[in-house]
Amino acid sequence: MLKNLLCALFGLGLAFGVAAADTLADVHAEMNGCESCHQDGEPSSDGAFENEQCQSCHGPMAELEGDHHAAHADMLMCADCHNPHELEIGQQPSCDDCHDDGRTP
Ligand code: HEC
Ligand code: HEC
Ligand code: HEC
Ligand code: HEC
């Protein structure tokens, strides 16, 4: 039973070409390389170039789904919440890194 479940999950992972522990950066790099976010593949010093790249594919923060996006437009960068090299694919960013009142998206 457990073995079947694991096989099914592994199969799904293969179908998407994604292993369970892939980070957001890994998955994006599989699509378009490090250059999809970094100019010439090199991280910028302030993250501004990377932030432009996110928005060129996903749209501006003010227009993304969910109130938590619009609430921080022109205030935070995408990576302040979606740390591409820390968060695994499907893992939700948390609010209490910055707000300590238990708020949720
Ligand atoms: C989804 C976009 C994205 C992809 C793809 C990506 N990175 Fe990053 N990376 C970032 C962001 C955002 C930062 C933090 C912003 C900054 O300081 O430049 C960062 C930071 C870094 C840093 C600075 C050290 C650190 O970990 O904070 C290195 C080194 C780095 N990336 C290397 C890579 C390499 C090599 C690849 C390709 C395998 C890659 N990145 C792919 C978005 C990405
Ligand atoms: C204040 C923190 C925060 C910032 C800043 C932020 N996000 Fe999010 N984002 C979240 C949270 C939390 C979720 C999950 C919400 C949910 O599932 O209801 C999310 C969901 C998403 C999703 C959907 C992911 C999925 O699993 O389907 C995308 C795509 C996304 N954000 C892209 C961005 C981009 C691009 C930026 C910058 C323009 C950005 N986000 C800025 C917190 C943030
Ligand atoms: C070259 C275009 C491109 C760039 C640049 C890009 N993304 Fe994506 N991103 C995609 C595509 C395509 C997907 C997979 C389909 C989808 O969920 O929209 C994706 C998926 C995501 C997801 C959903 C992952 C999940 O858990 O399902 C998040 C969150 C996300 N991107 C955030 C970011 C952030 C933050 C940046 C900048 C640091 C960024 N993206 C840069 C194209 C891009
Ligand atoms: C990287 C830090 C950071 C993260 C993570 C973060 N916020 Fe914020 N948020 C801020 C800052 C800075 C402000 C503006 C100052 C203030 O009002 O506290 C703000 C303001 C807000 C506001 C508007 C003002 C208020 O306090 O009502 C809302 C709503 C909000 N955040 C919700 C969220 C939610 C929901 C999440 C989780 C998805 C989240 N935030 C994650 C930094 C963050």
Side-chain angles (χ1 to χ4, degrees):
M1 174 62 196
L2 181 61
K3 193 172 163 223
N4 284 342
L5 184 62
L6 288 177
C7 286
L9 287 175
F10 186 60
L12 269 179
L14 287 181
F16 287 116
V18 168
D22 274 353
T23 63
L24 209 50
D26 293 333
V27 169
H28 284 81
E30 270 167 32
M31 295 187 274
N32 288 305
C34 310
E35 291 78 11
S36 55
C37 296
H38 298 301
Q39 192 165 28
D40 304 321
E42 289 294 324
S44 67
S45 54
D46 59 3
F49 180 84
E50 287 79 1
N51 202 47
E52 281 303 311
Q53 294 301 102
C54 310
Q55 302 194 63
S56 74
C57 289
H58 289 283
M61 189 127 65
E63 288 168 25
L64 282 168
E65 244 174 76
D67 298 339
H68 58 282
H69 283 130
H72 304 94
D74 303 322
M75 194 191 292
L76 299 182
M77 296 200 283
C78 309
D80 289 335
C81 292
H82 300 276
N83 186 332
H85 294 282
E86 291 284 329
L87 286 189
E88 286 170 13
I89 197 81
Q91 193 184 344
Q92 273 209 17
S94 89
C95 310
D96 43 78
D97 290 345
C98 304
H99 300 284
D100 56 9
D101 54 4
R103 61 182 77 192
T104 51

